[in-house]
Amino acid sequence: MQNGHTGSPELTVPAIEDLEWMYSLMLEAKGADEAAAAEARQGKLQAALYPVRGLEGVCAALGVAMTDDDQMISSYRNLGDALACGIPLRTIIAEAYGRLGGTSKGKGGTMHLTDNERGLITTTGVVGSGLPMAVGLALAAQLDSSRSENAARAIVVTFGDGATSIGSAHESFNLAALWNLPLVFVCQNNQWGEHTAIDAYAANPNLAERVRSYGMHAEAVDGFDPMATWRTLSSALDRARSGGGPSFIECKTYRLTGHSGLSDYSYVPSDDLSAALERDPGPTMRRWLLENGYVSEARVSELETAAENTISEAFAFAQSSPPPDPSELLDDVYASKEGFPVR
Amino acid sequence: MTSTEVTNTQGAADEKKMSIVAALNSALDIALTIDEKVLIMGEDIADPIGGVMKATKGLSDKHGVDRVRATPIVEQTIVGSAVGAALGGYRPVAEIMFMDFLCQAMDQIVNHAAKTRYMSGGHSSTPIVVRAMIGSSNFGAQHSQALEGWFMHTPGLKVVMPSNPYDVKGLLLSAIFDDDPVVFIENMSMSYSVTGMVPTGDYRIPIGEAAVVREGSDVTLITYGAEVHTSLAAAEALAGDIDVEVIDLRSLVPLDISTCLRSVQKTKRAIVVHGSTQFCGPGAEIAIQLTDALWGELAAPVARLGASYTPVPFAAELQSIPTETSVIAAVQVLAEQG
Ligand SMILES: Cc1ncc(C[n+]2csc(CCOP(=O)(O)OP(=O)(O)O)c2C)c(N)n1
């Protein structure tokens, strides 16, 4: 991670600058989601979009809890996670436009962001597939720290509640516990797997309870409460770094929009949705910051203006970034092009 | 397979007669010794058993169970964690017993290992080797498939399928130190029956170079894996009557089409011989490439000899993979044309 933050779980709340950073991340994630959807609606952006709405607090908490050395594997719903790693919004948006200025030169798209320097190792479009890879990345971290004096690093893998239905997720829980890996499974539980509610697909929707039986620390936290989430994630990451093994943290939120950028979500029970919107993490954090005197009204406005500017600058950058040259088509399939078919 | 001894080394002093399993073991031992980033993961691979075929025998005792890691029965996560460890800077070798069980791991091989470099715009590489073995019809249809065509059809993967201990060792070492993911396919019928002299030290055979294993002027047999031995036996049987050249492709991706072209330009007749199904098998691609390049020069259409389009049958009487007899017959038909 290169967001400049260091996890400090002994504090009950993060430092003021971290609180401001968290609030800004939440604003950027929500604003960028909305701007991208608007562009897509007008046909100006041809990309699958997976809004973070509802998870902003979890992503913000992750960003502060992770240190610069920690690494992450995320999914298609990755914009907030990428910001948590400290990746500039402009390169995330440029990737959505398929432009050279994107994290992956425009060859990955929204589901495939990579920024190795900032610790976002890969993001997968296949539900649940990040978990086995995270087991290996955590194994690498464990072996590295057993061989060197360098500070131990923790690995984070983020995924939705629906991913806990996938078989290899369970292989991964078992293996992480068996090998005592420095791995934190961050389940971003938004209560929906695509268009199916958790109660309709899980006989026991208490995911932390299910995973606890694999022999690792597992707990649920209110993902609409960024401070509680930050504390829980920080101690899980600490446990991982200090050899205490893996954790499963179920961050309970609610999906505040459709599954994908433009998808219908009229089926979401309106009572549930409005109850969840009452707890919308952005406005909740704003109130909390002001009520507790962490920041002034003026400073909040400054942060909001700055976030708007970051978003418009990111879209302008993306739109003016050139597309990859046609010669790029055949690059990066293998380390070298020599000897491989072109068709 | 009846036991076969292959001669393809210089006969130097530091050579030893090895089976394919011994050659695998030697390559893995060298890789673990020279690079601490090399890891092996798979079911039952740690000592005392040292793998179901014993390819990793002695390696966990020597290099530690941290690096020669026995896993639960989790093919998807064996390969997935190999991908993750590779992204974390390691060079993992994932051992999947029977190739049929690669089905469990296809998501990680096809959607992840093969595409990570491309999808990251070249920022990441996934230097893994997935070792897997074609079993035998003795086990029925789920422990005997030759599925190399699936992997050839996935850009981003290299596919290697050697036929003898010398190539096995040199190619496995190349695969482990290659920066791209390599599917390394073995064949149970050869594991102990095919032997040959192998240097005890480190040497590499480049991935993507075919070998002309028998020179001839009338017909070219293009083959790989266990069918190399079937083809060589057929060629010997026909010697004096039809002069058969045999090419061992050794690697399927990248495919050394130049060596094939050079040979077929000379012989004007070619048959691609393999154990996977003839329909949509690797032979289809090779045949059309030869035809495209040599149209007008060929004495006969390029022929293919692969397995019938069925699950692998159990009864011996139903086997359809190429045999010495069927290869001989195919060569005779082709030699009469043109
Ligand atoms: C293996 C696989 N099956 C199906 C899909 C299609 N799909 C994309 S997202 C999704 C829902 C996943 O739900 P969840 O894990 O809860 O994550 P969320 O999208 O809610 O963040 C599905 C079924 C997929 N991408 N991968």
Side-chain angles (χ1 to χ4, degrees):
Chain A
M1 318 295 303
Q2 295 218 326
N3 51 27
H5 298 287
T6 51
S8 23
E10 63 281 0
L11 298 178
T12 47
V13 295
I16 302 281
E17 60 169 73
D18 288 339
L19 292 174
E20 291 185 351
W21 185 89
M22 287 174 77
Y23 183 56
S24 301
L25 181 149
M26 292 157 82
L27 294 170
E28 283 180 30
K30 177 172 183 244
D33 268 357
E34 284 167 356
E39 287 283 290
R41 232 173 267 120
Q42 294 170 39
K44 293 189 202 154
L45 172 59
Q46 311 286 340
L49 301 171
Y50 298 95
V52 183
R53 285 291 284 130
L55 299 172
E56 301 97 309
V58 177
C59 302
L62 257 179
V64 178
M66 291 174 75
T67 65
D68 284 358
D69 291 334
D70 294 340
Q71 294 174 317
M72 183 195 275
I73 290 180
S74 176
S75 69
Y76 47 92
R77 201 178 299 287
N78 54 32
L79 190 143
D81 292 342
L83 292 174
C85 289
I87 301 177
L89 184 63
R90 48 160 57 195
T91 63
I92 301 171
I93 301 300
E95 190 59 35
Y97 278 85
R99 299 297 170 86
L100 209 50
T103 59
S104 314
K105 295 196 288 193
K107 296 167 91 166
T110 48
M111 297 203 225
H112 305 298
L113 307 180
T114 297
D115 188 331
N116 290 314
E117 285 69 43
R118 294 187 175 84
L120 186 62
I121 301 304
T122 191
T123 70
T124 179
V126 185
V127 170
S129 294
L131 287 85
M133 290 190 286
V135 165
L137 195 61
L139 175 61
Q142 187 183 55
L143 290 169
D144 282 351
S145 69
S146 72
R147 291 168 180 189
S148 90
E149 299 299 303
N150 295 342
R153 66 182 187 276
I155 305 303
V156 166
V157 57
T158 62
F159 51 90
D161 47 285
T164 61
S165 303
I166 294 278
S168 68
H170 296 264
E171 297 182 0
S172 300
F173 297 144
N174 177 49
L175 214 48
L178 183 71
W179 290 350
N180 198 43
L181 295 176
L183 176 53
V184 182
F185 294 98
V186 178
C187 178
Q188 300 172 332
N189 181 352
N190 62 10
Q191 314 288 336
W192 291 89
E194 210 158 54
H195 311 296
T196 305
I198 188 165
D199 292 330
Y201 72 71
N204 177 2
N206 185 338
L207 303 176
E209 181 184 289
R210 283 164 65 188
V211 175
R212 196 168 300 127
S213 69
Y214 285 101
M216 80 172 94
H217 179 93
E219 70 181 291
V221 62
D222 180 1
F224 277 151
D225 180 344
M227 292 310 122
T229 306
W230 168 73
R231 272 179 226 112
T232 308
L233 291 173
S234 294
S235 57
L237 283 159
D238 251 22
R239 187 163 37 247
R241 287 183 216 108
S242 58
S247 306
F248 176 90
I249 308 299
E250 178 188 359
C251 305
K252 291 199 177 191
T253 66
Y254 200 85
R255 201 179 69 205
L256 300 179
T257 180
H259 165 71
S260 61
L262 306 181
S263 67
D264 170 31
Y265 60 110
S266 54
Y267 55 81
V268 174
S270 54
D271 288 355
D272 292 356
L273 185 57
S274 41
L277 279 165
E278 288 291 306
R279 310 203 55 223
D280 193 345
T284 306
M285 177 131 184
R286 185 185 206 277
R287 268 196 310 277
W288 181 85
L289 286 170
L290 291 171
E291 279 165 13
N292 291 285
Y294 290 117
V295 289
S296 65
E297 191 74 61
R299 180 65 181 147
V300 165
S301 305
E302 250 175 61
L303 295 175
E304 288 164 354
T305 308
E308 274 169 32
N309 290 340
T310 303
I311 293 164
S312 40
E313 190 273 337
F315 278 81
F317 169 82
Q319 288 155 354
S320 63
S321 174
D325 187 83
S327 67
E328 279 279 344
L329 173 66
L330 300 176
D331 287 344
D332 306 322
V333 183
Y334 296 93
S336 147
K337 279 193 279 205
E338 213 52 48
F340 293 98
V342 295
R343 284 215 172 267
Chain B
M1 180 172 297
T2 49
S3 54
T4 311
E5 190 167 340
V6 180
T7 319
N8 47 8
T9 62
Q10 310 303 314
D14 52 355
E15 285 178 1
K16 226 172 100 179
K17 184 169 166 181
M18 291 190 199
S19 65
I20 283 186
V21 165
L24 289 165
N25 186 280
S26 172
L28 292 167
D29 186 21
I30 289 170
L32 286 160
T33 304
I34 64 176
D35 187 346
E36 63 164 12
K37 294 289 189 183
V38 174
L39 303 177
I40 315 181
M41 299 192 267
E43 293 156 22
D44 299 323
I45 66 167
D47 293 311
I49 182 73
V52 288
M53 299 301 288
K54 305 214 182 287
T56 49
K57 183 91 184 150
L59 298 183
S60 73
D61 280 350
K62 180 169 172 189
H63 301 281
V65 288
D66 264 8
R67 299 179 64 205
V68 182
R69 300 182 85 94
T71 67
I73 306 157
V74 289
E75 283 76 12
Q76 192 167 351
T77 299
I78 293 170
V79 178
S81 61
V83 172
L87 293 173
Y90 284 75
R91 293 192 173 275
V93 180
E95 174 174 316
I96 302 293
M97 259 175 228
F98 286 95
M99 184 169 210
D100 314 70
F101 313 153
L102 286 177
C103 293
Q104 264 73 359
M106 281 308 258
D107 170 53
Q108 289 294 340
I109 299 173
V110 174
N111 290 325
H112 296 87
K115 297 178 177 39
T116 310
R117 181 187 299 284
Y118 201 79
M119 296 192 307
S120 68
H123 292 300
S124 303
S125 56
T126 313
I128 68 166
V129 178
V130 180
R131 284 182 46 223
M133 180 174 69
I134 297 171
S136 144
S137 60
N138 291 354
F139 295 89
Q142 295 171 339
H143 291 66
S144 49
Q145 296 168 85
L147 301 173
E148 63 273 18
W150 288 3
F151 302 99
M152 292 177 74
H153 205 264
T154 303
L157 300 176
K158 293 185 177 177
V159 184
V160 174
M161 214 162 151
S163 69
N164 62 74
Y166 176 74
D167 289 348
V168 160
K169 180 172 171 182
L171 280 164
L172 182 55
L173 278 160
S174 291
I176 293 171
F177 294 103
D178 195 288
D179 286 336
D180 290 307
V182 181
V183 179
F184 192 96
I185 304 169
E186 299 153 26
N187 192 313
M188 194 178 187
S189 70
M190 299 193 291
S191 298
Y192 286 101
S193 63
V194 178
T195 55
M197 295 306 285
V198 176
T200 52
D202 185 357
Y203 65 93
R204 313 286 166 92
I205 294 178
I207 296 176
E209 278 186 18
V212 178
V213 291
R214 186 183 197 280
E215 295 203 6
S217 53
D218 296 333
V219 174
T220 303
L221 295 178
I222 298 168
T223 183
Y224 54 88
E227 280 63 45
V228 170
H229 304 287
T230 314
S231 300
L232 283 170
E236 284 310 319
L238 288 164
D241 181 12
I242 304 171
D243 194 17
V244 179
E245 180 143 308
V246 180
I247 294 178
D248 181 350
L249 288 171
R250 307 196 287 190
S251 309
L252 295 168
V253 182
L255 181 66
D256 183 359
I257 200 71
S258 326
T259 296
C260 301
L261 284 170
R262 230 174 290 125
S263 170
V264 182
Q265 247 156 356
K266 174 179 71 179
T267 60
K268 316 267 184 247
R269 293 177 176 82
I271 311 175
V272 191
V273 181
H274 55 60
S276 57
T277 62
Q278 185 167 308
F279 179 80
C280 279
E285 176 63 33
I286 295 164
I288 193 66
Q289 286 202 34
L290 293 173
T291 306
D292 270 352
L294 302 177
W295 181 248
E297 291 181 51
L298 294 168
V302 178
R304 293 174 295 158
L305 189 63
S308 293
Y309 197 58
T310 71
V312 175
F314 177 72
E317 293 74 9
L318 298 179
Q319 297 311 314
S320 72
I321 61 171
T323 59
E324 185 180 327
T325 315
S326 66
V327 175
I328 289 172
V331 171
Q332 284 168 336
V333 169
L334 204 71
E336 278 164 23
Q337 291 181 46

